[in-house]
Amino acid sequence: MDIVLQQAANGLVLGMSYALVATGLTLVFGVLRMMNLSHGELYMLGAYILSALMQYLGLPYVVGCVLSVLLVALIGYFFGMTVVQPASHLEPINAMLATFGVSTLLSNLVLLIFKATPRMVSSPFQVVFQIGPVFLTIQKLIVVGMGLLLNLGVYLVIHHTTFGKMIWAISEQRTAAEIVGIDTKRMHNLAFTMGAVLAAISGVLVSALYSLAPNMGSGIMTKCFAIVVLGGLGSIPGAIIGGLLLGLAESLFTIIIPSQWTPAIAFVLLIVLLILKPEGLIGKSKGVKL
Amino acid sequence: MLEIRNLSKSFQGLQVFSGIDLTVEDRPGEKSPLIGVIGPNGAGKTTLFNIFTGYAKADGGSVIFDGKELLGKKPHEIVRAGLTRTFQSTLAFRQLTVKENVLVAAYLHEDFSFLERFIYPLVSLKLTQKKTRDAQERAEKVLSMVGMLDDMDMVSGNLPYGKQKKLGIAMGLATEPKLLALDEPAAGLNPHETAETMELLQEINRGGTAVLVIEHNMKLIMTACERIYVLSGGRIIAEGLPQEIAKNERVIEVYLGKGMTAHA
Ligand SMILES: Nc1ncnc2c1ncn2[C@@H]1O[C@H](COP(=O)(O)OP(=O)(O)O)[C@@H](O)[C@H]1O
Ligand SMILES: [Mg+2]
């Protein structure tokens, strides 16, 4: 029983980190109507830039986190403006391929600079404590807390702010949004950057829990695909529920199956859901009303 | 107000038009202009609109609106400068109701500060209440003007075609333009709806908004517009009062000689 509780707690932490990455992905999809294949690399960059800042500049963890997220925001904004935004006028498949290019560029750049050796980041919050039979660290609590906070924040921004309404208008009918005077390019770039920031935050938080590798981006992306399909493409609550579900499932199943099988769980879940409920767990969000 | 000078445009080396001059005067204190652009299909009327509303690039020439060059500006900047257009096809947020559509236009076309964009709506409704109230009032005024108060709560995607076109005009009006440019507002409408649309344009115009309208239907444009430009073969072949245009031999040749009726 204790091991089940422990694995459930671990699953919650893992799931929240998935949820954060998936929310960014689904947000960008909701706005650009395009799968951003470089999303996982932005997550990986968040972790790698943090590790470099700590190792080479000797920055403390928290400062490194903030700087790394800011840098990834800049990088995201840059690629959003130079690659994604121009490509968004093309066929969705071309735009998606453009983001695949960014993804390849970034992961190979990191491989070139940092080599493939796994890296670790140490956080001052790795203090272990115990609740009943479950061992946790402050870091894990931070992941869960930040996950909840950020997802709630994104939800509020999208559904209850003027920015959210503009974003919705653009995703719904781009030309109509333009002729009523919305700066569609700027909103696109902002939304893409928001996605990058979410990915980076997840990256810096998780870097203290799991080891880093240049291919960690593609690893989490395959999971995020499963999550956003589970939760309904473009739905933020769906991304959270899907993320938690997958984290819990992966964690709990390691009790009964060897852990090298965990990557398959995402796809088993996905296949089962697609058979039972092809529209996703909670369906597509209805959008924003004024 | 709008001065188009020596405008030219080609697609892949194929000239659409060149040397286009067109003026919508500023007449403070007097009746606002209501000007028509006619011409056969493919003459380049929509392309002309696309250029001065930021949807296409010109090869040469200039477009001055209120003393400022419009060429090179983006669509939303042109809307904010006071020039709004409609499209030949209907364009609305199909999931939203008629009123919500007009509200989007009334509310979102303004420039918002960072605080207004993100923070105010979250922390306090009061700070955005004035803008919201203004937008509500404007939306209702516009809807009553176009005669769509009864359809206010209809989901726009379910409206009949004629009303969708009207909604497009309403959305344009809600952005409070100085000049409203309409691309074939009566295309595809029945004679009754067409007459209604023309009355509406005249009413909008009486309300102080300058109107520039592309129209295919000669009779319609003749009765409503005070001045007409005729675009054909890549040139403005005639310009003047409706009765002058109706008698102009080149216009008659283009419109009637090639088998087109006045109602085409
Ligand atoms: N994006 C485009 N690419 C190539 N040719 C175009 C494009 N848009 C319009 N054209 C051509 O330009 C000419 C003028 O078109 P248009 O402005 O739509 O005419 P109108 O609105 O007067 O019917 C037509 O011959 C049309 O085929
Ligand atoms: Mg046309």
Coordinates of all heavy atoms in Angstrom, one line a residue, chain A residues 240-284:
Chain A
I240 N -4.3 19.7 -18.6 CA -4.0 19.4 -17.2 C -4.5 18.0 -16.8 O -3.7 17.2 -16.3 CB -4.7 20.4 -16.3 CG1 -4.2 21.8 -16.7 CG2 -4.3 20.2 -14.8 CD1 -5.0 22.9 -16.0
I241 N -5.7 17.7 -17.1 CA -6.3 16.4 -16.8 C -5.5 15.3 -17.5 O -5.1 14.3 -16.9 CB -7.8 16.3 -17.1 CG1 -8.5 17.3 -16.2 CG2 -8.3 14.9 -16.9 CD1 -10.0 17.5 -16.7
G242 N -5.2 15.5 -18.8 CA -4.5 14.5 -19.5 C -3.1 14.3 -19.0 O -2.6 13.2 -18.9
G243 N -2.4 15.4 -18.6 CA -1.1 15.3 -18.1 C -1.0 14.6 -16.8 O -0.2 13.6 -16.6
L244 N -2.0 14.9 -15.9 CA -2.0 14.2 -14.6 C -2.3 12.7 -14.7 O -1.7 11.9 -14.1 CB -3.1 14.9 -13.7 CG -2.7 16.3 -13.1 CD1 -3.9 16.8 -12.3 CD2 -1.4 16.2 -12.3
L245 N -3.2 12.5 -15.6 CA -3.6 11.1 -15.9 C -2.4 10.2 -16.3 O -2.2 9.1 -15.8 CB -4.7 11.1 -16.9 CG -5.7 10.0 -16.8 CD1 -6.6 10.2 -15.6 CD2 -6.6 10.0 -18.1
L246 N -1.7 10.8 -17.3 CA -0.6 10.1 -17.8 C 0.5 9.9 -16.8 O 1.1 8.8 -16.6 CB 0.0 10.8 -19.1 CG 1.2 10.1 -19.7 CD1 0.8 8.7 -20.2 CD2 1.7 10.9 -20.9
G247 N 0.8 11.0 -16.0 CA 1.8 10.9 -15.0 C 1.5 9.8 -14.0 O 2.3 9.0 -13.6
L248 N 0.2 9.8 -13.6 CA -0.2 8.8 -12.6 C -0.1 7.4 -13.1 O 0.4 6.5 -12.5 CB -1.6 9.1 -12.1 CG -1.8 10.2 -11.1 CD1 -3.3 10.5 -10.9 CD2 -1.2 9.8 -9.8
A249 N -0.6 7.3 -14.4 CA -0.6 5.9 -15.0 C 0.9 5.4 -15.1 O 1.2 4.3 -14.7 CB -1.2 6.0 -16.4
E250 N 1.8 6.3 -15.6 CA 3.2 5.8 -15.8 C 3.8 5.4 -14.4 O 4.5 4.4 -14.3 CB 4.0 7.0 -16.4 CG 3.7 7.2 -17.9 CD 4.7 8.1 -18.5 OE1 5.5 8.8 -17.8 OE2 4.7 8.2 -19.7
S251 N 3.5 6.3 -13.4 CA 4.1 6.0 -12.1 C 3.5 4.8 -11.5 O 4.3 3.9 -10.9 CB 3.8 7.2 -11.3 OG 4.9 7.5 -10.4
L252 N 2.2 4.6 -11.5 CA 1.6 3.5 -10.9 C 1.9 2.2 -11.6 O 2.1 1.1 -10.9 CB 0.1 3.7 -10.8 CG -0.3 4.8 -9.8 CD1 -1.8 5.1 -9.8 CD2 0.1 4.4 -8.3
F253 N 2.0 2.2 -12.9 CA 2.2 1.0 -13.6 C 3.6 0.4 -13.4 O 3.9 -0.8 -13.5 CB 2.0 1.1 -15.1 CG 0.5 0.8 -15.5 CD1 -0.3 1.9 -15.9 CD2 0.0 -0.4 -15.3 CE1 -1.6 1.6 -16.2 CE2 -1.3 -0.7 -15.6 CZ -2.2 0.3 -16.0
T254 N 4.6 1.3 -13.0 CA 5.9 0.8 -12.7 C 5.9 -0.2 -11.5 O 6.9 -0.9 -11.3 CB 7.0 1.9 -12.4 OG1 6.4 2.8 -11.4 CG2 7.3 2.7 -13.7
I255 N 4.9 -0.1 -10.7 CA 4.8 -1.1 -9.6 C 4.6 -2.5 -10.1 O 5.2 -3.5 -9.6 CB 3.6 -0.8 -8.7 CG1 3.7 0.7 -8.2 CG2 3.5 -1.7 -7.5 CD1 2.5 1.1 -7.4
I256 N 3.8 -2.6 -11.2 CA 3.6 -4.0 -11.7 C 4.3 -4.4 -13.0 O 4.4 -5.5 -13.3 CB 2.0 -4.2 -11.8 CG1 1.4 -3.1 -12.7 CG2 1.4 -4.4 -10.5 CD1 0.0 -3.4 -13.1
I257 N 4.7 -3.4 -13.8 CA 5.5 -3.7 -15.0 C 6.8 -3.1 -14.9 O 7.0 -2.1 -14.3 CB 4.7 -3.3 -16.3 CG1 4.5 -1.8 -16.3 CG2 3.4 -4.0 -16.4 CD1 4.0 -1.3 -17.6
P258 N 7.8 -3.7 -15.6 CA 9.2 -3.2 -15.6 C 9.2 -1.7 -16.2 O 8.4 -1.4 -17.1 CB 9.9 -4.1 -16.6 CG 9.1 -5.3 -16.7 CD 7.7 -4.9 -16.5
S259 N 10.0 -0.9 -15.7 CA 10.0 0.5 -16.0 C 10.3 0.8 -17.4 O 10.0 1.9 -18.0 CB 10.8 1.3 -15.0 OG 12.2 1.0 -15.2
Q260 N 11.0 -0.1 -18.1 CA 11.4 0.2 -19.5 C 10.1 0.2 -20.4 O 10.1 0.7 -21.5 CB 12.5 -0.7 -20.1 CG 12.1 -2.2 -20.2 CD 12.6 -2.9 -19.0 OE1 12.6 -2.4 -17.9 NE2 13.0 -4.2 -19.2
W261 N 9.0 -0.3 -19.8 CA 7.8 -0.3 -20.6 C 7.0 1.0 -20.4 O 6.0 1.2 -21.1 CB 6.9 -1.5 -20.2 CG 7.4 -2.8 -20.7 CD1 8.2 -3.7 -20.1 CD2 7.2 -3.3 -22.0 NE1 8.5 -4.7 -20.9 CE2 7.9 -4.5 -22.1 CE3 6.4 -2.8 -23.2 CZ2 7.9 -5.3 -23.3 CZ3 6.4 -3.6 -24.3 CH2 7.1 -4.8 -24.4
T262 N 7.4 1.9 -19.5 CA 6.5 3.1 -19.2 C 6.3 3.9 -20.5 O 5.2 4.5 -20.6 CB 7.1 3.9 -18.1 OG1 8.5 4.0 -18.2 CG2 6.7 3.4 -16.8
P263 N 7.3 4.1 -21.4 CA 7.0 5.0 -22.5 C 5.8 4.5 -23.3 O 5.1 5.3 -24.0 CB 8.3 4.9 -23.4 CG 9.4 4.6 -22.4 CD 8.7 3.7 -21.4
A264 N 5.5 3.2 -23.2 CA 4.4 2.7 -24.0 C 3.0 3.0 -23.5 O 2.0 3.0 -24.2 CB 4.5 1.1 -24.1
I265 N 3.0 3.4 -22.2 CA 1.8 3.6 -21.5 C 1.0 4.7 -22.2 O -0.2 4.7 -22.3 CB 2.0 3.9 -20.0 CG1 2.4 2.6 -19.3 CG2 0.7 4.4 -19.3 CD1 2.9 2.8 -17.9
A266 N 1.7 5.8 -22.5 CA 1.0 7.0 -23.2 C 0.2 6.5 -24.4 O -0.9 6.9 -24.6 CB 2.1 8.0 -23.6
F267 N 0.8 5.6 -25.1 CA 0.2 5.2 -26.4 C -0.9 4.2 -26.1 O -1.9 4.2 -26.8 CB 1.3 4.7 -27.4 CG 2.3 5.7 -27.6 CD1 3.5 5.7 -27.0 CD2 1.9 6.8 -28.4 CE1 4.4 6.8 -27.2 CE2 2.8 7.9 -28.6 CZ 4.0 7.8 -28.0
V268 N -0.7 3.3 -25.1 CA -1.8 2.4 -24.8 C -3.0 3.2 -24.4 O -4.2 3.0 -24.8 CB -1.4 1.4 -23.7 CG1 -2.6 0.6 -23.3 CG2 -0.2 0.6 -24.2
L269 N -2.8 4.2 -23.5 CA -3.9 5.1 -23.0 C -4.6 5.8 -24.2 O -5.8 5.8 -24.3 CB -3.3 6.2 -22.1 CG -3.5 6.0 -20.6 CD1 -2.8 7.2 -19.9 CD2 -4.9 5.9 -20.2
L270 N -3.7 6.3 -25.1 CA -4.2 7.0 -26.2 C -5.1 6.1 -27.1 O -6.2 6.5 -27.5 CB -3.0 7.5 -27.0 CG -3.4 8.4 -28.2 CD1 -4.1 9.7 -27.6 CD2 -2.1 8.9 -28.9
I271 N -4.6 4.9 -27.4 CA -5.4 4.0 -28.2 C -6.7 3.6 -27.6 O -7.8 3.7 -28.2 CB -4.5 2.7 -28.6 CG1 -3.3 3.1 -29.4 CG2 -5.4 1.7 -29.2 CD1 -2.3 2.1 -29.5
V272 N -6.6 3.3 -26.3 CA -7.9 3.0 -25.6 C -8.9 4.1 -25.7 O -10.1 3.9 -26.0 CB -7.6 2.6 -24.1 CG1 -8.9 2.4 -23.3 CG2 -6.8 1.3 -24.1
L273 N -8.4 5.3 -25.4 CA -9.3 6.5 -25.4 C -9.9 6.8 -26.8 O -11.0 7.1 -27.0 CB -8.6 7.7 -24.9 CG -9.6 8.9 -24.7 CD1 -10.1 8.9 -23.3 CD2 -9.1 10.2 -25.2
L274 N -9.0 6.6 -27.8 CA -9.5 6.9 -29.2 C -10.6 5.9 -29.6 O -11.4 6.3 -30.4 CB -8.3 6.9 -30.2 CG -7.4 8.1 -30.1 CD1 -6.3 8.0 -31.1 CD2 -8.2 9.4 -30.4
I275 N -10.5 4.7 -29.0 CA -11.5 3.7 -29.3 C -12.8 4.1 -28.6 O -13.9 4.1 -29.1 CB -11.0 2.3 -29.0 CG1 -9.9 1.9 -30.0 CG2 -12.2 1.3 -29.1 CD1 -9.2 0.7 -29.6
L276 N -12.7 4.4 -27.3 CA -13.8 4.6 -26.5 C -14.5 6.0 -26.6 O -15.7 6.1 -26.6 CB -13.5 4.4 -25.0 CG -13.0 3.0 -24.6 CD1 -12.7 3.0 -23.1 CD2 -14.1 2.0 -24.9
K277 N -13.6 7.0 -26.7 CA -14.1 8.4 -26.7 C -13.3 9.2 -27.7 O -12.5 10.0 -27.3 CB -14.1 8.9 -25.3 CG -15.2 9.9 -25.0 CD -15.2 10.1 -23.4 CE -16.3 11.2 -23.1 NZ -16.0 12.5 -23.6
P278 N -13.5 9.1 -29.0 CA -12.7 9.7 -30.0 C -12.6 11.2 -29.9 O -11.7 11.8 -30.5 CB -13.2 9.2 -31.3 CG -14.5 8.6 -31.0 CD -14.6 8.3 -29.6
E279 N -13.6 11.9 -29.3 CA -13.6 13.3 -29.3 C -12.7 13.9 -28.1 O -12.6 15.1 -27.9 CB -15.0 13.9 -29.1 CG -15.7 13.7 -27.8 CD -16.3 12.3 -27.6 OE1 -16.0 11.4 -28.4 OE2 -17.1 12.1 -26.7
G280 N -12.0 13.0 -27.4 CA -11.2 13.5 -26.3 C -11.9 13.4 -25.0 O -13.2 13.3 -25.0
L281 N -11.2 13.5 -23.9 CA -11.9 13.4 -22.6 C -13.0 14.4 -22.3 O -14.1 14.1 -21.9 CB -10.8 13.5 -21.5 CG -10.0 12.3 -21.2 CD1 -9.0 12.6 -20.1 CD2 -10.9 11.1 -20.8
I282 N -12.7 15.7 -22.6 CA -13.7 16.7 -22.3 C -14.1 17.5 -23.5 O -14.8 18.5 -23.5 CB -13.3 17.6 -21.2 CG1 -11.9 18.3 -21.5 CG2 -13.2 16.9 -19.8 CD1 -11.5 19.3 -20.5
G283 N -13.6 17.0 -24.7 CA -14.0 17.7 -25.9 C -13.3 19.0 -26.1 O -12.5 19.4 -25.3
K284 N -13.6 19.7 -27.2 CA -12.9 20.9 -27.5 C -13.5 22.1 -26.8 O -14.7 22.1 -26.5 CB -13.1 21.2 -29.0 CG -12.0 22.0 -29.6 CD -12.2 22.1 -31.1 CE -12.1 23.4 -31.8 NZ -12.3 24.6 -31.1

